[in-house]
Amino acid sequence: MRRSKRKGETSDGGNCTKTVKLIIRRQDTPDSQPYTEEFEIPYRPNMNVISALMEIQRNPVRADGQKTSPVCWESNCLEEVCGACSMVINGKPRQACSALIDKLEQPIRLEPMRTFPVVRDLVINRERMFNALKRVKAWIPIDGTYDLGPGPRMAETKRQWAYELSKCMTCGVCLEACPNVNERSSFIGPAAISQVRLFNAHPTGEMNKEERLEALMEDGGIEGCGNSQNCVRSCPKGIPLTTSIAAINKDTTKHLFRKWLGM
């Protein structure tokens, strides 16, 4: 009895070979018009989106058999730590390295995150995020050529939740998911706000607490948050972003009243 072909399988001389179908949104230059190309590659067990893109890179042939240029994307650690491989997969911003082919509906649609300028294909410019971190001074000012000693210790209870905030890998997924971050808005985004909470909680970083809060009280700061909570639902590291936003909202309000009262 001859069985029918399953979804994602092609027949070749009586043998059925399982394949992976991808539809990729491409863009040759930052100023050129985007277009889509379809690919069909051989399936292998335990594939993720990055391994599928590597297969296309090795043999850049479209589903219609026409040769094309290799698809450009970014990746580094392949362990969901660096944040470089962020893209929109089947309409959802996420990390390509942890997106398993077996758990994705086909055809798999890959697009760059549109919150950021597109450099080429799936490669984006995340300068907006790094400028935001500079704006809020998201670092501990201990640089120098002299020995500062061991420094103050953090209470264990504070260290535990601060560690969760330190998992941020500047991947940009929370900004892509946030409806308040777009080309018409100067909103700094949830990632930078959460980093303010992290560094203000540090015993040494607390010295610049007011400076960071002042930065978030300017245009495009914390007032731009619409509390949609998309950020916390989409964060690949499970960072409590909305909790951080609420805490910083409270801190900026206190800081504002202290300024009014001259304290």
Side-chain angles (χ1 to χ4, degrees), residues 19-246:
T19 61
V20 179
K21 295 182 179 180
L22 302 101
I23 300 176
I24 303 177
R25 184 184 179 100
R26 306 193 62 182
Q27 188 169 330
D28 296 332
T29 66
D31 300 321
S32 63
Q33 289 298 312
Y35 59 95
T36 60
E37 286 188 334
E38 297 187 24
F39 297 89
E40 192 167 346
I41 61 173
Y43 169 84
R44 297 193 312 274
N46 303 318
M47 290 182 76
N48 60 7
V49 168
I50 294 296
S51 58
L53 288 169
M54 287 179 174
E55 187 66 34
I56 294 172
Q57 187 181 54
R58 282 191 289 268
N59 185 29
V61 177
R62 300 197 307 248
D64 60 6
Q66 295 297 312
K67 277 278 213 181
T68 186
S69 58
V71 178
C72 294
W73 81 95
E74 287 186 305
S75 66
N76 191 11
C77 71
L78 301 181
E79 295 179 340
E80 204 175 60
V81 174
C82 70
C85 65
S86 301
M87 61 185 70
V88 178
I89 302 173
N90 286 353
K92 179 183 177 182
R94 58 182 301 183
Q95 301 296 289
C97 63
S98 58
L100 301 179
I101 297 297
D102 289 333
K103 295 184 178 181
L104 295 173
E105 183 179 349
Q106 291 195 41
I108 300 169
R109 297 181 179 271
L110 305 181
E111 303 175 41
M113 296 196 297
R114 306 304 295 182
T115 297
F116 305 90
V118 176
V119 178
R120 182 174 180 181
D121 294 340
L122 303 173
V123 179
I124 56 169
N125 183 349
R126 286 181 289 166
E127 188 176 5
R128 175 176 187 160
M129 292 196 74
F130 301 118
N131 287 338
L133 294 176
K134 292 177 184 177
R135 176 177 167 183
V136 298
K137 289 185 167 49
W139 60 80
I140 305 297
I142 57 173
D143 293 336
T145 57
Y146 43 87
D147 183 10
L148 297 176
R153 293 177 62 88
M154 289 182 71
E156 180 61 19
T157 52
K158 181 185 284 189
R159 188 203 62 79
Q160 288 178 1
W161 63 255
Y163 175 70
E164 296 302 315
L165 305 186
S166 72
K167 291 179 180 179
C168 179
M169 50 189 179
T170 325
C171 66
V173 166
C174 63
L175 272 73
E176 177 71 13
C178 178
N180 299 100
V181 179
N182 50 62
E183 67 277 1
R184 302 178 303 277
S185 166
S186 60
F187 178 43
I188 198 168
I193 296 174
S194 185
Q195 291 300 288
V196 168
R197 184 185 179 210
L198 169 64
F199 289 104
N200 281 359
H202 192 278
T204 304
E206 193 176 8
M207 293 189 300
N208 298 90
K209 178 177 181 178
E210 293 185 357
E211 193 174 357
R212 296 191 186 97
L213 294 178
E214 286 281 351
L216 289 181
M217 291 165 63
E218 297 172 356
D219 290 342
I222 195 167
E223 47 81 25
C225 176
N227 197 32
S228 69
Q229 301 189 26
N230 287 10
C231 57
V232 72
R233 287 193 289 265
S234 64
C235 177
K237 306 305 287 187
I239 298 171
L241 295 168
T242 49
T243 303
S244 291
I245 292 171

